[in-house]
Amino acid sequence: MAGWQEGNHPAIAVSVRPTTARIDLRALQTNYRHIVESLAQEQPAHPPGVIAVVKANGYGHGAGQVGRALEDAGADLLACADIEEGAALRAAGVRAAILVFGALGVSDLDGLFDCRLTPTISTPGAARAVQAVADRYRQRLRYHLKIDTGMNRLGFRFDNLHRTLPEVFSSGKLQLEAVYTHFATAEDPGSALFARQQDRFARALSQVEELHRGSASALPDGTRPYRHAANSAAFLRDSRVWFDRVRPGLLLYGVVPPPLHTTIEFEPVMTLVSKVVAVKGLRPGEVTGYGARYTAAAATTIAVVPAGYADGLDVRLSARGSVLIRGRRAPIVGSVCMDMLMADVTGLEVSPGDEVVLIGSQGDDRIDVREMAASIGTIPWEVVCRVGSRIERVYSGR
Ligand SMILES: *Cc1c(COP(=O)(O)O)cnc(C)c1O
């Protein structure tokens, strides 16, 4: 191109890959408000609060934008997985309180103070490490205490608190703000563990209260620690586990944890779109893609879509998933490649440049995250979190 110079290529500067994730922040805020409203409707005297979960880059939607939109909608407490995610939220301008769910390493805890984060203490070792940093900063730190009631991942074992907690509560630097647990099977109506975890949590709460009362870590104004337990599924299933706050993640993004259903109209937040880059005819007996996994039985038209497993589209979508083109379902054929996939568009009038919907609606049809997850035998949480980092998130509604 005449006149092209290094550093002078506006066409590249404004170009956007054809595969993008459209993020509807208004839908996110609506979902948040639906949760707040149903809490207030059911428990009008003391409506529980919300801890809006934005870990894993806001479930793949972009933590900074998601965090600020939730804050605008009224969220006063967000939660993320680790200190690094908390720092990223602060860097994006989030001012609400931030709870860190994950286990704390023994080093690099300065971020708790530098970024005003609230840690979860789930082991005696973490309590000691956090206390050491608090001593160094000469500051008190509020924390949430995690009780393991049967998931057997993080948290103090429910059956042994009288031995583990006194040491944690002996520090004047660490102030207990809340106590929580996490359910392993909240979305499974057939599981007995959900009820068992509830019983164990109830017992743990009274034990914590007994051990904590009058200890060095009691809050100065005598406020009792508050309680929380419910992820999205537990929020939908049982208002008895709402306690003082609920902790929805997936629901905020408009996806109901399978197999549950709800009458609340959650709106999908992410739409994953692309464009056809090439259209090709196959003769009977010809194949497409690596491994020659697909053979055309008859004359077939294939659309090439520039989205592949590097974008988070699972290789198992081959022969199982579909995309929407021209308002119709086009089955994914052949192996999903790193940067591309092929769809059978035989009989459709398809041209390069046509919109392809991978997740979302087109015409009267829709492919949602639950459907995609079910078709490849995974869970919706994984589908949204895996949407690749090279896919641009395009935001609307804020
Ligand atoms: C991820 C997470 C949640 C939110 O779970 P969803 O099923 O997405 O609602 C709640 N609490 C904890 C501790 C979590 O790690």
Side-chain angles (χ1 to χ4, degrees):
M1 187 167 86
W4 188 88
Q5 287 173 3
E6 189 77 30
N8 176 20
H9 36 86
I12 292 176
V14 298
S15 87
V16 173
R17 282 205 172 85
T19 306
T20 58
R22 297 186 190 142
I23 309 295
D24 183 351
L25 295 173
R26 190 204 48 79
L28 174 82
Q29 293 176 326
T30 301
N31 295 337
Y32 174 79
R33 291 194 185 104
H34 281 330
I35 293 170
V36 170
E37 279 156 21
S38 76
L39 293 168
Q41 229 161 45
E42 184 120 353
Q43 299 182 2
H46 299 284
V50 175
I51 301 175
V53 181
V54 300
K55 65 192 180 194
N57 194 27
Y59 285 46
H61 294 63
Q65 292 271 2
V66 160
R68 281 183 299 148
L70 289 168
E71 201 171 36
D72 283 355
D76 62 348
L77 177 54
L78 307 180
C80 62
D82 54 33
I83 292 175
E84 289 71 13
E85 287 188 353
L89 287 164
R90 288 284 177 244
V94 168
R95 294 206 294 268
I98 298 174
L99 171 65
V100 177
F101 281 148
L104 303 165
V106 286
S107 59
D108 285 339
L109 295 178
D110 291 25
L112 293 175
F113 289 93
D114 299 343
C115 300
R116 287 190 304 110
L117 308 175
T118 305
T120 293
I121 290 182
S122 50
T123 64
R128 276 175 232 127
V130 173
Q131 195 190 325
V133 200
D135 283 339
R136 188 150 49 73
Y137 275 75
R138 299 174 192 282
Q139 279 179 40
R140 291 162 179 255
L141 188 67
R142 293 186 173 211
Y143 71 97
H144 290 205
L145 177 73
K146 185 161 192 184
I147 308 293
D148 186 344
T149 53
M151 174 129 167
N152 289 312
R153 194 179 59 176
L154 290 178
F156 290 85
R157 277 192 70 104
F158 69 97
D159 54 2
N160 154 19
L161 297 173
H162 59 282
R163 270 193 277 142
T164 50
L165 289 186
E167 183 194 339
V168 183
F169 290 165
S170 70
S171 163
K173 281 278 169 22
L174 303 182
Q175 298 185 322
L176 180 63
E177 182 173 278
V179 185
Y180 75 97
T181 193
H182 194 42
F183 295 116
T185 59
E187 69 274 18
D188 177 3
S191 161
L193 181 57
F194 185 48
R196 211 173 307 133
Q197 285 197 268
Q198 292 179 42
D199 288 345
R200 290 168 176 171
F201 190 49
R203 272 184 279 137
L205 284 170
S206 52
Q207 232 181 335
V208 167
E209 187 171 327
E210 195 180 300
L211 293 165
H212 182 249
R213 202 183 304 128
S215 76
S217 69
L219 288 179
D221 57 2
T223 328
R224 283 164 52 180
Y226 68 87
R227 308 150 300 164
H228 53 94
N231 58 4
S232 293
F235 161 75
L236 289 177
R237 268 191 64 200
D238 195 340
S239 61
R240 286 170 306 178
V241 296
W242 290 356
F243 296 104
D244 302 303
R245 282 185 187 260
V246 298
R247 298 194 307 263
L250 197 67
L251 280 179
L252 291 173
Y253 307 95
V255 184
V256 176
L260 302 181
H261 291 279
T262 172
T263 52
I264 306 174
E265 290 181 3
F266 291 103
E267 297 176 18
V269 175
M270 183 191 289
T271 302
L272 191 60
V273 295
S274 188
K275 285 192 179 121
V276 173
V277 287
V279 179
K280 171 159 296 177
L282 303 187
R283 299 197 173 102
E286 288 186 330
V287 303
T288 183
Y290 290 115
R293 293 260 179 74
Y294 170 83
T295 306
T300 300
T301 312
I302 296 292
V304 181
V305 182
Y309 60 78
D311 301 299
L313 293 161
D314 198 286
V315 292
R316 288 168 294 179
L317 284 166
S318 308
R320 293 200 183 91
S322 298
V323 299
L324 300 176
I325 304 182
R326 300 235 151 204
R328 299 268 300 276
R329 268 171 195 252
I332 297 172
V333 293
S335 301
V336 173
C337 317
M338 187 183 289
D339 313 306
M340 278 174 266
L341 57 81
M342 284 73 83
D344 179 350
V345 293
T346 309
L348 305 179
E349 288 289 315
V350 173
S351 322
D354 283 354
E355 183 192 68
V356 179
V357 171
L358 299 145
I359 295 173
S361 23
Q362 193 192 57
D364 298 331
D365 207 349
R366 123 161 242 105
I367 292 174
D368 64 21
V369 174
R370 260 171 83 138
E371 177 188 334
M372 184 183 274
S375 73
I376 58 176
T378 185
I379 54 174
W381 293 264
E382 186 185 3
V383 168
V384 284
C385 288
R386 278 181 62 191
V387 170
S389 56
R390 76 176 174 185
I391 291 188
E392 180 158 357
R393 273 68 170 167
V394 179
Y395 294 92
S396 67
R398 184 169 173 268

